[in-house]
Amino acid sequence: MPNWLLLLPIVIPWLGCISVWVVGDHRPKLQHSLAVIFSVLSAGAGLFLISYSTQQRTLILPLGGVFDDFRLTTDGLGVFLAVVATVIGSLAVIFSVDYMHGEHSLGRYYAFVLFFIGSMVGLVLTTSLLWMFVFWELTALCSYALIAFHNDDPKAVRGGIKALIMTQFGGLGLLFGALVLYAYTGSYDINLFLSNPAALPASVLSWMAFGFLIAAAAKSAQFPFQTWLPDAMEAPTPVSALIHAATMVNAGVYLLARFYPAFEAVPGWKLAVMIVGMLSALLAALMALVAFDLKRVLAYSTISQLGFMFYAVGAGGIFASQFHLMSHSVFKALLFLGAGAVIHALGTRDMREMGGLGKRMPFTRTVFILGALALAGIPIFNGFWSKELILEVGFEHGNPAWIAALMVLTVGLTAAYTLRMVILVFYGKARSEHHVHDAGAAMKTALLPLAIGSLSTWFLLGPFYQSLKTSLPFHTLELNEVWVQLIETIRPAGRMTLEVGLEIISQPSTYLVLLVIIVGAVAWLRRDRIGSLLMTFKGVEKAAQNGFGFEAINEIVVRGVQQTGEALRVTQTGHLAWNVIAILLGWLVVLILTMLGRIS
């Protein structure tokens, strides 16, 4: 394979971005068609890379100097996330043909969606920390533009600004790490750093490790930065699926997994990652249990499931975290797009105005329930297998038992809020008189593959493990010896994965988790009969409805940044030449400081 083909998953959607913009909004049918064509081609380019995920193919575009060469490399971790971004992204674009029908500013919408997809692919394929930062910021720009797409809606604009400000904490952490790495090693090469993290002094490595944890938490909406993600629900629903399942929020988990070999020995780092994941998973599950906005419930669910992935990384479960990321990408995209079909038909996101939709939207009900079963962790569905791997890792390697116990509790809460969501939307009596129609053809085209994936992607467990093992020389994957033996000795891949699945089912922790799931579901169904017990937790319910106070804290941060920006407006003369000079001087200062650090 010519190495330049590595550029295709980035270049194709970016060319599509330009095309839909140039065509103009006066030709919406052509814009829809071009967006679908370019997104599907980018998905094909992403899938094409799978065959090279174990061969470490590298493309280098020499730039040299402090800006570093532009490098793209194929390995199991990067290619896997590139496939997630392009495939889920293409399905979100196909869904948009129905969902965005008749909307204005289609050129702007599709341009940013396609630019978003290409930027995410660049982020996960590059092996230069500086270029990772560039792509990291490009995804932040796209998320702001898409969350605030309805720029005549103050809530949408506010959500976009909040997301931009909160995620910039992540950008600062990543930039700090890139500059520190260059100052001490003279290179931004990620693999070079992973091969010898001792090149950095222990204290500097600690600062870098915790800086990257802050970066990941901000990007993936984890504690204490979790409040921006629910407010991002003002974006069109296909964008929500793109952000929550395929692109930006996955970047934080990817960052921690990629740099785990360098940071695992840093004192307190793994425990901090586990605690961040646990708090995010638990608090978000509680908030999902009391929310009535359908998209917000799914947003809280995303925060919670990402918390499971963070916890897995901290517990040493790199493979478990990435396998759950794969499962989550599929079933959460299915749930968001299914919710989009409901909202498109009903015109509201309030579950109190829904009910009884199952009879009127049978296709949407069926696929949504499949995604919900995967989210709840019911056996056979992909979420069960990946979540079980995470919990087994949590109980091993000497990890704190109290954190593992709280994660098991969160599994029960997940089952409860998932069942509550499904019943409020699709069952019971209709609570409004809206004229309702089932999903359109384009929506069904996007939903059906995701529904099938929720049932079947766990069959990729063995091949995915082999891909990561052979292409990540600095990572130690955590599967126990029995599973590894099954994976390495049994062929074909389908039978091997089935044997591993049977081994998972034989584990005692599996039955503990299933019991907790049943208890969580029954507790919600019988909530009227245990009302006196639930009254004990009334304070928790009220705190959850108020976001446990973090909404107020984050609002203060956002307001402070905005006020600082207003105060700095006096420095803007309005003359372009002076603005350019100021930007160049800023870059010059950064480069001088970096070089001074390198010299010393």
Side-chain angles (χ1 to χ4, degrees):
M1 177 188 78
N3 290 343
W4 62 265
L5 292 179
L6 293 179
L7 284 171
L8 290 182
I10 302 173
V11 172
I12 289 175
W14 282 5
L15 288 175
C17 161
I18 298 170
S19 299
V20 295
W21 185 272
V22 170
V23 164
D25 292 337
H26 61 284
R27 303 174 72 181
K29 289 185 178 180
L30 183 56
Q31 286 181 316
H32 285 303
S33 299
L34 286 173
V36 169
I37 290 170
F38 279 101
S39 65
V40 171
L41 287 175
S42 70
L47 291 168
F48 174 75
L49 295 181
I50 292 177
S51 58
Y52 298 94
S53 61
T54 60
Q55 298 182 19
Q56 291 281 342
R57 304 299 292 268
T58 301
L59 169 71
I60 299 177
L61 300 180
L63 299 176
V66 74
F67 294 104
D68 200 24
D69 294 335
F70 181 81
R71 292 187 302 275
L72 299 177
T73 299
T74 58
D75 60 30
L77 187 57
V79 169
F80 148 63
L81 279 165
V83 170
V84 168
T86 54
V87 173
I88 303 295
S90 67
L91 294 176
V93 169
I94 293 171
F95 188 91
S96 298
V97 173
D98 278 347
Y99 191 89
M100 298 298 290
H101 179 73
E103 284 278 355
H104 66 281
S105 301
L106 273 181
R108 176 163 56 92
Y109 171 80
Y110 280 128
F112 276 111
V113 167
L114 292 167
F115 194 66
F116 205 159
I117 294 171
S119 299
M120 186 64 191
V121 173
L123 190 156
V124 298
L125 289 184
T126 184
T127 56
S128 165
L129 189 52
L130 181 63
W131 283 102
M132 178 183 284
F133 167 75
V134 171
F135 285 116
W136 185 281
E137 290 303 295
L138 289 178
T139 60
L141 170 66
C142 293
S143 70
Y144 159 73
L146 289 169
I147 293 169
F149 173 73
H150 297 296
N151 49 28
D152 55 348
D153 181 357
K155 290 191 296 183
V157 174
R158 177 178 173 275
I161 292 174
K162 184 175 183 181
L164 185 63
I165 291 174
M166 299 306 294
T167 56
Q168 285 314 294
F169 286 99
L172 290 173
L174 194 62
L175 178 61
F176 169 78
L179 296 178
V180 165
L181 182 62
Y182 185 81
Y184 280 91
T185 67
S187 171
Y188 296 105
D189 193 309
I190 294 172
N191 289 331
L192 187 64
F193 171 55
L194 295 180
S195 67
N196 184 28
L200 271 63
S203 59
V204 174
L205 188 64
S206 295
W207 277 100
M208 188 174 178
F210 284 97
F212 275 32
L213 174 56
I214 293 173
K219 199 73 165 180
S220 293
Q222 295 292 280
F223 177 89
F225 304 101
Q226 71 272 18
T227 63
W228 72 261
L229 199 56
D231 287 346
M233 293 303 96
E234 302 305 323
T237 303
V239 171
S240 300
L242 190 66
I243 293 175
H244 294 75
T247 51
M248 197 168 86
V249 293
N250 290 340
V253 179
Y254 166 77
L255 182 71
L256 295 183
R258 175 64 77 184
F259 287 91
Y260 180 82
F263 300 147
E264 61 176 322
V266 172
W269 185 79
K270 292 172 63 178
L271 179 61
V273 175
M274 282 192 285
I275 290 175
V276 168
M278 178 272 293
L279 288 174
S280 302
L282 179 60
L283 296 180
L286 289 169
M287 288 187 280
L289 201 53
V290 298
F292 286 99
D293 184 316
L294 176 56
K295 286 180 67 175
R296 278 183 173 262
V297 172
L298 293 175
Y300 290 132
S301 171
T302 297
I303 297 170
S304 184
Q305 296 304 302
L306 288 166
F308 275 90
M309 299 174 212
F310 268 61
Y311 170 72
V313 172
I318 300 302
F319 176 74
S321 72
Q322 298 307 296
F323 192 55
H324 192 54
L325 194 157
M326 176 196 293
S327 301
H328 178 261
S329 297
V330 175
F331 69 68
K332 189 53 62 68
L334 175 60
L335 288 170
F336 264 109
L337 295 181
V342 171
I343 295 166
H344 187 262
L346 207 61
T348 180
R349 293 165 17 189
D350 192 336
M351 294 189 294
R352 290 168 294 191
E353 298 181 22
M354 299 179 186
L357 293 177
K359 294 180 180 179
R360 295 182 283 175
M361 304 182 70
F363 179 86
T364 302
R365 174 203 61 203
T366 301
V367 297
F368 193 93
I369 289 175
L370 292 177
L373 292 171
L375 169 60
I378 303 302
I380 303 299
F381 296 90
N382 61 1
F384 163 75
W385 307 101
S386 56
K387 199 176 295 183
E388 178 60 28
L389 286 177
I390 290 175
L391 295 174
E392 287 190 17
V393 169
F395 283 111
E396 298 171 354
H397 308 300
N399 294 312
W402 65 274
I403 301 181
L406 288 173
M407 296 304 293
V408 172
L409 171 64
T410 306
V411 170
L413 294 174
T414 302
Y417 74 67
T418 303
L419 180 62
R420 170 182 179 264
M421 174 178 62
V422 171
I423 291 177
L424 286 177
V425 174
F426 293 105
Y427 294 95
K429 294 182 179 179
R431 292 182 289 275
S432 64
E433 298 298 327
H434 296 284
H435 174 70
V436 176
H437 57 83
D438 209 345
M443 291 183 177
K444 290 178 179 177
T445 302
L447 289 168
L448 187 58
L450 293 169
I452 295 172
S454 295
L455 280 164
S456 61
T457 54
W458 67 274
F459 281 103
L460 298 174
L461 185 150
F464 186 42
Y465 174 83
Q466 291 283 31
S467 174
L468 295 186
K469 181 182 177 182
T470 56
S471 63
L472 299 177
F474 311 113
H475 292 71
T476 301
L477 303 186
E478 74 283 353
L479 285 186
N480 65 43
E481 294 181 3
V482 175
W483 297 358
V484 172
Q485 185 177 5
L486 290 172
I487 288 173
E488 293 182 346
T489 59
I490 298 178
R491 295 291 184 272
R495 179 169 169 254
M496 169 264 295
T497 299
L498 183 61
E499 292 289 342
V500 173
L502 292 173
E503 179 65 25
I504 292 175
I505 291 176
S506 69
Q507 299 295 316
S509 60
T510 301
Y511 297 97
L512 172 63
V513 171
L514 289 176
L515 177 62
V516 172
I517 290 172
I518 294 171
V519 170
V522 171
W524 191 83
L525 288 172
R526 301 295 182 183
R527 62 194 180 282
D528 295 333
R529 297 188 181 183
I530 58 174
S532 57
L533 177 62
L534 293 178
M535 286 298 294
T536 308
F537 300 98
K538 205 67 179 176
V540 176
E541 178 183 354
K542 186 175 181 180
Q545 290 173 337
N546 294 323
F548 294 98
F550 286 97
E551 181 67 39
I553 295 172
N554 289 340
E555 279 296 324
I556 293 173
V557 173
V558 171
R559 195 178 306 117
V561 172
Q562 289 179 313
Q563 289 175 351
T564 302
E566 288 294 323
L568 291 174
R569 287 181 64 182
V570 298
T571 64
Q572 301 300 309
T573 63
H575 296 291
L576 180 61
W578 286 108
N579 292 341
V580 171
I581 290 173
I583 292 171
L584 293 176
L585 286 175
W587 271 104
L588 184 61
V589 169
V590 170
L591 295 179
I592 290 173
L593 291 176
T594 303
M595 295 305 297
L596 287 175
R598 174 74 182 128
I599 294 171
S600 60

